[in-house]
Amino acid sequence: MTEKAPTDPETCDTTADPGTVQAVFLTGEVLVSCGDGRLLVCDWAPIAGTSLSSKTFEETMAEIIENHLSRYDDQPLSHRLAQWSTTHRELSK
């Protein structure tokens, strides 16, 4: 995702739910609504009307760590991931 796009009510519904693809352009760029406007996304070709979902940063990091541990249990986590995991566990207690 490269930049926020200016609001153009003629092109898109400004009241659409976050994650809704508002427009697909001939250039391959798509306009996706988000919480505080819209994002112009390049190099991706979804179908207009598709809805995207998101996860919190914490959920994404936990999933990355879980996937690593389940697939590569013989290889340690990177220092940064291990540090984040330890810090996050302490904060969530």
Side-chain angles (χ1 to χ4, degrees):
M1 296 183 199
T2 58
E3 60 186 82
K4 284 191 177 181
T7 301
D8 181 0
E10 293 180 17
T11 305
C12 301
D13 175 8
T14 57
T15 62
D17 292 332
T20 301
V21 175
Q22 293 289 303
V24 179
F25 302 103
L26 294 175
T27 59
E29 298 170 330
V30 295
L31 205 53
V32 179
S33 56
C34 60
D36 63 349
R38 293 189 312 251
L39 293 175
L40 181 63
V41 180
C42 303
D43 299 321
W44 188 56
I47 298 170
T50 300
S51 290
L52 307 176
S53 62
S54 63
K55 295 181 180 182
T56 65
F57 177 77
E58 290 78 12
E59 290 171 321
T60 301
M61 292 298 291
E63 188 174 315
I64 289 169
I65 292 167
E66 181 181 322
N67 287 340
H68 174 84
L69 295 175
S70 68
R71 294 178 184 162
Y72 309 104
D73 61 348
D74 59 328
Q75 297 181 22
L77 285 172
S78 72
H79 175 71
R80 290 187 337 184
L81 281 178
Q83 184 178 15
W84 182 89
S85 180
T86 301
T87 303
H88 180 70
R89 267 189 261 134
E90 290 173 3
L91 292 176
S92 62
K93 288 181 182 180

